[in-house]
Each structure stands twice: as structure tokens, then as C-alpha cells.
Amino acid sequence: MSSAADVCHFPWLLMKSCVPNPQHLHCPSPISSIAISISVLPEDLLLECLVRVAVSALPSLLQVCRRWARLVNSPAFHNLRVRRCVLSRTLFSICISGCALFSATLQCYGGEIAADTSWRVSTFVPLDQKMGSFSLFSQFRAVSVARKIYIIGRTAMLRYDTWTGKLVPKAAMGFPRKKFAAAVVGGKILVAGGCASSSAVEEYDPDNNEWRVVSEAPRRRYGCIGVSVDGLFYVVGGLKIGLPGDNNASCASRFGRPDVFPSSMDVYDAAAGVWLRNRTVPGGGCVVAACAAGGSLYILSSHAVDLSFWEFIASRKSPSFGQWRKLKSPPVAPQIGVDAGVKFSSIGMGELVVLVQTGCGMWRKEGVVLVYDCAGGEWRRAADTPEEIRGGGAVTVCVQC
């Protein structure tokens, strides 16, 4: 039998081994029972078996038995898949519109997004009253922890299971925020900015469903972007709406005169609980998108009539840590211009940076997707996002499971 056939039949053989054979009910030999049943394996060996199941069959493991469901949902299962280099990457573009959640997926095969790969609209989930009103998720942020996506609104949060399609309400942030920075550091969600009344940085623990304040940001930013690289939380771009305790700055922001500080980023070491030296994007401009890929931070800046693309070496083990490098700009027409109506979502996928245009502004078409090869240094076009999830402030994230 071919290896491909073995992989296809492996999930069925695993599940079959957990079901007792009626013909062996009267067989007293414990040795033969152990030989034919995987259910007696210790959890470390069982995990080694489960991580080898094909990605398409992983959701079915949740239905086998409670033990398997517990193991597949555990951090140990995801961590082992990371160590075995068997993670699958999928782009999820999410839009909340008309009191429902729409989701479209784009699969990454072998670390690449094929030119002929198209988006697939996979989910339509209506929101009910327990999940909060649609207005609470206006300009939401989204991050992924293993296979689950956390959709964070101003005063509400939802957890979306990409395997089952279920939406579950979760604890809301302690401070109402809008246009804030969010990223996952060490399996926990960090948020900062987006709140004129507080500079608190909050951390969410998915296991305990609890938020707590872990620090105070050096600047209160609005419209910022959150990125995580090598244990550091980067709060990038946005408007600086005043320093903690600066009454004059706070008054200025209330009267509509916020300080523009769009090309800098604050850096927080989550493990040490300290803020590192502030960094500034060379060439100025306004940061419109940022993400992490291959140990670097990639930033797209707008200069009113054109765009610039930068790499910041973010791996602290690298001798080049902290250095900037200007890269090839995305292939967009220079006459397009970049105004407040043009919005981008930037996502890192292994050694790729995916740029999704989510606001039309002066562009004729919305939903353009560009892919940058970090190793080759070239841009190429990918399939446009489907019409079902365009508009409504769509957010795109990469799910690794």
C-alpha cells in the first residue's frame, strides 16, 4: 500500500482501535487486548500518534472520545505539532456585518500560496444577544491562538473555533478600547492603546478566561497596530493622544488636536515586564500595516502619494537586531494615492508577508491580495478576497494548527 493511502486510512485505524471488538469480548488474554487497542497507550505516546493525523481529519478526532478531545484541545498537542514541523497555515479573513460573522479561508501548501488557489467562504454564523451587539465589534481586532481566533471588540470578545465554526462569548477587556494594538505573546493576548482615559496594557489568559493589567504604556496611542516577535510586543504607529499625567496633552486630544506620532513603535518585553527603547521607522510616513515573519518585523508606510516597505530585524539572537532595511514596495499604481479610506491588513505566514487591501478609498477595487516572498524579495498577486467578506472592516489572521 502506498504511503498516501496509509495517511488517508490512519485516522480511521486510530478511531477503530478505540472501539472494542465484540468478537473479543470473551477473550481473556490481556496481551491481545493491549496489542489491538490504542486507548491503553500513555498520553505521551498517544499524542505522538495523534499529531501524525492528516490536517483534514483533525476535527474528527474531537468526536472520538473525551480523552482524545481533551488531548487535541491541550497546549501539549499544538506544541508537539510545532516541534514536529507539521503545522498547517491557513488565512482566515473575517468580517462582521449585518449581525453575522462571515469567514473566508485561503490555504497555504508547503509554505507557499499557489497562484491558482482561491478563497473559500466557509462560515456564516449569526450573532445572538449573548454575544453582544454588532456595534460592540465595530473596528474589532483579531488574533489567533492555535486553531482558535479571538475577536476583540470594545467591550466584548468572541472566540471562534476554526474547526467547528462555533462562536463562544469570552471575558471582555477591563478598559473599553477602539483601534487598539493586539498580539499574542507566549500564548497570551496583549492589548494596548485605543483608550483615551488609560495607558494600561492588558493581558488575557485563554486557559483561565481572565484579563489583568500588566503594565502602563509610555504613550497613549489610537489607531495603532500590535505585532509580536521573539517575546516582544510592538505597539506600532497611530496617534499619540497624550502621555500619562500630561493634562495639557489630554486636553488637546479632547479638543480634536491629537499629536501625530505615526512612524514610531513602543517595545514591551513581556517576560521581563519592562519597556525597551522606542524605535522609529526610517523615512517617516504613516504606518498603515505591520506584521511579523521569519524573525523580522515588516512595516508598510504611507507617504501620501506612495508606499514604502521596511524590514526591522527583530530576533534578539541576531547580531543585526534593531537594524532597518528598505525593501521593494508593493506593486501599486503611484497615482492611486493613499488616504484614510485605504486600509490594509498585513499577515505573516512563515517566510511570506500577505498584504490584504480592506478599504477601497481611491482604489477602484477592494480585496486585492499581494504576497511578498521574504527570501526572494519579490511581490506577486494572489486571489482577491471574495465579495462576501469585503467591507465592514474585515480583518485577516493566520491560523497555525
Side-chain angles (χ1 to χ4, degrees):
M1 185 178 294
S2 65
S3 59
D6 291 339
V7 172
C8 293
H9 290 289
F10 187 50
W12 163 243
L13 294 175
L14 281 177
M15 289 183 279
K16 182 179 179 181
S17 68
C18 286
V19 180
N21 189 340
Q23 298 178 358
H24 295 162
L25 291 179
H26 302 289
C27 178
S29 172
I31 298 179
S32 61
S33 299
I34 293 176
I36 64 171
S37 177
I38 196 175
S39 60
V40 300
L41 289 177
E43 292 192 351
D44 56 343
L45 293 181
L46 182 54
L47 280 172
E48 289 287 354
C49 295
L50 296 179
V51 297
R52 287 164 169 78
V53 173
V55 174
S56 59
L58 286 177
S60 63
L61 299 182
L62 300 173
Q63 310 300 323
V64 176
C65 62
R66 291 182 180 179
R67 185 190 184 201
W68 283 29
R70 176 177 57 82
L71 289 176
V72 171
N73 285 322
S74 68
F77 178 77
H78 179 77
N79 295 336
L80 187 57
R81 287 183 62 81
V82 172
R83 294 198 299 271
R84 296 292 180 266
C85 300
V86 293
L87 286 181
S88 172
R89 296 184 176 95
T90 306
L91 284 180
F92 278 79
S93 190
I94 296 174
C95 174
I96 297 179
S97 178
C99 297
L101 181 142
F102 298 84
S103 173
T105 60
L106 185 68
Q107 190 69 45
C108 178
Y109 296 99
E112 292 291 338
I113 299 176
D116 58 349
T117 301
S118 59
W119 291 83
R120 183 172 63 90
V121 179
S122 57
T123 306
F124 169 82
V125 183
L127 301 180
D128 57 32
Q129 295 181 352
K130 295 180 180 179
M131 299 178 185
S133 66
F134 167 72
S135 61
L136 298 180
F137 294 96
S138 174
Q139 299 173 336
F140 66 92
R141 297 294 193 249
V143 297
S144 63
V145 180
R147 75 171 193 266
K148 296 171 182 177
I149 299 174
Y150 290 82
I151 302 167
I152 312 170
R154 284 184 297 173
T155 57
M157 184 169 71
L158 300 173
R159 188 189 69 190
Y160 171 49
D161 192 323
T162 60
W163 285 2
T164 64
K166 293 182 179 180
L167 278 174
V168 179
K170 290 296 179 179
M173 296 179 291
F175 296 89
R177 302 174 189 268
K178 188 176 181 180
K179 293 187 177 181
F180 54 93
V184 176
V185 183
K188 297 182 179 180
I189 302 172
L190 288 175
V191 297
C195 181
S197 61
S198 174
S199 58
V201 177
E202 295 182 81
E203 179 188 77
Y204 175 76
D205 185 346
D207 294 332
N208 298 323
N209 189 31
E210 292 180 350
W211 289 92
R212 68 185 183 100
V213 175
V214 293
S215 182
E216 296 289 329
R219 296 169 182 81
R220 294 179 185 174
R221 296 173 181 260
Y222 179 82
C224 46
I225 303 169
V227 184
S228 168
V229 189
D230 197 13
L232 300 181
F233 177 41
Y234 293 83
V235 184
V236 189
L239 302 177
K240 187 177 67 174
I241 53 178
L243 294 172
D246 188 348
N247 295 328
N248 294 329
S250 299
C251 291
S253 65
R254 286 198 298 268
F255 284 99
R257 301 193 306 272
D259 296 327
V260 178
F261 207 53
S263 59
S264 73
M265 55 187 186
D266 296 320
V267 187
Y268 178 67
D269 188 329
V274 297
W275 291 90
L276 306 182
R277 181 169 64 89
N278 176 271
R279 305 282 180 163
T280 302
V281 182
C286 177
V287 175
V288 295
C291 70
S296 291
L297 183 65
Y298 291 86
I299 292 179
L300 182 69
S301 293
S302 167
H303 304 272
V305 294
D306 61 358
L307 299 170
S308 63
F309 191 51
W310 298 87
E311 177 188 9
F312 175 80
I313 308 300
S315 174
R316 289 184 282 183
K317 296 180 181 179
S318 171
S320 302
F321 172 71
Q323 296 184 10
W324 291 92
R325 186 164 65 102
K326 191 173 183 178
L327 306 174
K328 185 177 182 179
S329 298
V332 298
Q335 67 270 21
I336 288 175
V338 180
D339 59 12
V342 179
K343 300 177 182 178
F344 299 92
S345 184
S346 181
I347 314 96
M349 294 185 68
E351 295 296 326
L352 302 178
V353 173
V354 182
L355 187 65
V356 182
Q357 183 242 329
T358 59
C360 56
M362 297 174 63
W363 288 29
R364 293 182 180 180
K365 187 176 182 180
E366 185 178 358
V368 174
V369 180
L370 300 172
V371 180
Y372 179 77
D373 185 341
C374 300
E378 294 294 332
W379 289 92
R380 59 182 175 82
R381 187 78 175 264
D384 295 349
T385 57
E387 294 183 0
E388 290 85 347
I389 54 91
R390 296 179 188 173
V395 175
T396 306
V397 298
C398 176
V399 173
Q400 302 185 75
C401 62

